Amino acid sequence: MLNDTDRVKVRNLTDQYVIYRDPDTNYRVEFQPHQERELQVGGLRKYFTMKGGRIILQNYLSVENDELRDEFEIPADQVEYDWDRDKIVSVLLNEDIAVLKDALDFGPDGIKDQIASLAVELRIPDNNKREAISNALGISITNKINLADQMAAKDGTEEKPAEKPTRRIQTNGRRLNSENNKSSAS
């Protein structure tokens, strides 16, 4: 049995910041993308029982201790919970589509987010994998890839500086030189 003072490794599953705060101590734990930290078991247990803690620990942070995973109700057969960037790249480019579909059906949300963002970044060539990701997550990977390509093409071209707009009515000091001003000045 783990003691509250024991420390375990916890890893951010995503390429986003994950932050949680203990309201009792106002202690803030910030994980940078894919960062690993060693945290006390007691703090993790307390966080798990707080609002939102269960979701974060089951979907966005990977607790690298089997006993604590069981306590946090993380299924033992959820192999995707241990995936890192290299594994996701391998699944997207080299492995059977069944591995990808299992990850999309049973993996934590943080891994699903990573699958989608890496699919776009890598511009995965397999249309069946693109379609599987799109159907599972409700986003079009092909459209995201096309948009990323358009943005990259736009960034690579030299843009002309915007022309400074000119006034339609010429000013003379503070007053406008228009027909209305001439007639009222007379």
Side-chain angles (χ1 to χ4, degrees):
M1 180 85 177
L2 289 170
N3 293 320
D4 283 350
T5 56
D6 291 339
R7 299 179 77 75
V8 295
K9 277 189 182 178
V10 180
R11 181 175 49 90
N12 182 353
L13 294 172
T14 72
D15 58 359
Q16 305 293 321
Y17 283 86
V18 176
I19 301 169
Y20 73 83
R21 186 181 305 261
D22 181 343
D24 294 338
T25 63
N26 208 22
Y27 181 69
R28 174 185 159 136
V29 179
E30 178 177 302
F31 284 87
Q32 293 181 8
H34 306 289
Q35 182 183 15
E36 281 187 10
R37 299 179 76 139
E38 283 198 8
L39 300 175
Q40 284 192 335
V41 171
L44 291 170
R45 285 179 172 145
K46 183 176 182 181
Y47 184 63
F48 182 74
T49 62
M50 294 170 50
K51 183 178 181 180
R54 174 185 300 256
I55 293 169
I56 296 293
L57 289 169
Q58 290 178 342
N59 289 289
Y60 298 98
L61 295 176
S62 175
V63 178
E64 298 183 9
N65 180 284
D66 291 337
E67 185 179 331
L68 206 51
R69 285 183 184 186
D70 187 46
E71 191 175 322
F72 292 163
E73 302 169 9
I74 298 162
D77 65 345
Q78 191 179 44
V79 295
E80 299 85 7
Y81 195 73
D82 292 320
W83 285 8
D84 59 8
R85 180 185 168 90
D86 293 337
K87 177 62 178 177
I88 296 170
V89 168
S90 176
V91 168
L92 289 171
L93 298 178
N94 304 320
E95 297 185 32
D96 189 79
I97 194 169
V99 177
L100 175 63
K101 286 182 175 181
D102 275 354
L104 294 168
D105 289 340
F106 304 108
D109 291 341
I111 293 297
K112 293 175 189 178
D113 292 347
Q114 280 293 100
I115 288 171
S117 66
L118 283 172
V120 173
E121 180 182 321
L122 298 169
R123 289 154 173 74
I124 60 169
D126 188 331
N127 285 327
N128 292 326
K129 287 184 177 181
R130 285 185 187 188
E131 186 177 328
I133 297 166
S134 297
N135 291 338
L137 302 180
I139 57 173
S140 173
I141 294 299
T142 299
N143 286 350
K144 285 184 166 272
I145 290 171
N146 292 340
L147 182 61
D149 288 342
Q150 288 173 4
M151 296 302 289
K154 183 179 178 184
D155 289 344
T157 61
E158 191 173 309
E159 291 185 31
K160 297 179 193 175
E163 289 184 28
K164 186 176 179 180
T166 57
R167 291 190 157 274
R168 289 171 199 81
I169 301 174
Q170 298 301 318
T171 61
N172 183 7
R174 296 181 107 187
R175 297 181 186 253
L176 293 177
N177 231 358
S178 68
E179 293 300 319
N180 291 338
N181 285 342
K182 288 179 182 177
S183 63
S184 65
S186 303

